Amino acid sequence: LQAIISRLRFTMALLATNRTRALRPEYWELWKEAPNGIMMNFGDPSFLPRYLHLVTASLAVGGLVLAIRGWWKKDRQKLDPQSADAQKREGLAWFRYASMVQAAIGVWFLLSLPAEVRALFLGKSLIATAALALALTGILIAMVTSFRGYLLATCLIAPGVVFIMVCMRDIVRDAMLAPYITPAPASVAENLLPLPHGQTGGLVLFLGCTALAIVAIVY
């Protein structure tokens, strides 16, 4: 178990590095200093809160899975009702407390973003501000339902919150990369970026890796 946790922590750190690097093209030249590819992005202000955000999210979802497992075993009579209910309560408690910590880290994450990006979520952009408000409201409702033991309601709300956070991540990405994207006339763009066959190859590669990842996770 310790080996699995250690690998997960390292994987989360790699994921946080890749995400922060993708948002800062000015740092890409530094890869020349580490041609072996091993170069963590610890210097980015958003690295640590992003990393902790990923870790606490995994704990919350893990708790929810534990609660579902207890309910499923009770429903299939594979576990005595008392033990199944205890597992369900424990899982919901993990989800609830991890969500509380995640909300606090989310505020830290927001403050670590550049001022012009942070301003989008604090009133400058209606869509970004509404997304932040919906995410916070969803987390609050999910914590209440988990406290009351409403497993189904919590399971329905949690994916909605995740979806909103994915949209917020896209807003951050677009805002961070906006200075590097210069729209050009169609004729110029065609000469600079010829894609006669679209991006079929990239899509096929992505879907193939996704299928392999699903097999690995199930295994």
Side-chain angles (χ1 to χ4, degrees), residues 1 9 37 44 53 60 70 85-86 98 129 182 185 188 190 197 215:
L1 180 60
R9 285 200 300 252
D44 191 288
H53 199 59
D85 288 339
T129 304
T182 303
V188 176
E190 289 176 0
H197 305 293
V215 172

Side-chain angles (χ1 to χ4, degrees), residues 1-217:
L1 180 60
Q2 289 180 337
I4 293 174
I5 293 175
S6 177
R7 290 172 184 172
L8 283 175
R9 285 200 300 252
F10 182 66
T11 301
M12 292 294 187
L14 288 177
L15 183 58
T17 290
N18 289 338
R19 287 184 174 179
T20 52
R21 288 283 181 201
L23 298 178
R24 296 182 181 274
E26 66 270 22
Y27 292 153
W28 292 357
E29 288 292 326
L30 297 178
W31 283 108
K32 295 178 180 178
E33 301 176 6
N36 54 10
I38 302 176
M39 184 175 166
M40 305 304 288
N41 199 23
F42 296 133
D44 191 288
S46 67
F47 175 85
L48 186 56
R50 186 186 290 270
Y51 168 71
L52 294 176
H53 199 59
L54 291 169
V55 172
T56 53
S58 67
L59 292 175
V61 174
L64 198 56
V65 171
L66 179 63
I68 294 173
R69 186 168 177 264
W71 165 81
W72 185 84
K73 284 192 172 185
K74 180 180 179 181
D75 186 63
R76 297 296 187 277
Q77 297 181 349
K78 292 186 176 182
L79 196 65
D80 64 276
Q82 187 175 359
S83 299
D85 288 339
Q87 191 175 94
K88 174 184 171 183
R89 289 193 301 270
E90 181 181 2
L92 288 175
W94 270 98
F95 173 83
R96 181 168 63 255
Y97 294 126
S99 296
M100 291 179 183
V101 176
Q102 189 181 21
I105 294 174
V107 174
W108 178 16
F109 186 11
L110 178 64
L111 296 176
S112 70
L113 296 174
E116 62 275 11
V117 178
R118 184 170 63 249
L120 296 175
F121 297 94
L122 300 178
K124 187 176 180 180
S125 169
L126 179 60
I127 295 178
T129 304
L132 177 61
L134 284 174
L136 293 176
T137 302
I139 291 175
L140 179 61
I141 295 174
M143 286 192 292
V144 172
T145 56
S146 64
F147 179 77
R148 293 181 175 273
Y150 299 153
L151 179 59
L152 179 59
T154 306
C155 290
L156 291 175
I157 295 170
V161 173
V162 172
F163 175 76
I164 295 172
M165 289 185 174
V166 169
C167 295
M168 293 172 63
R169 185 189 66 181
D170 286 348
I171 293 173
V172 171
R173 180 189 61 193
D174 291 344
M176 294 281 288
L177 296 179
Y180 304 94
I181 300 175
T182 303
S187 58
V188 176
E190 289 176 0
N191 294 328
L192 294 176
L193 301 172
L195 294 173
H197 305 293
Q199 299 185 33
T200 306
L203 177 61
V204 171
L205 180 62
F206 170 76
L207 293 177
C209 291
T210 301
L212 292 175
I214 292 174
V215 172
I217 291 171

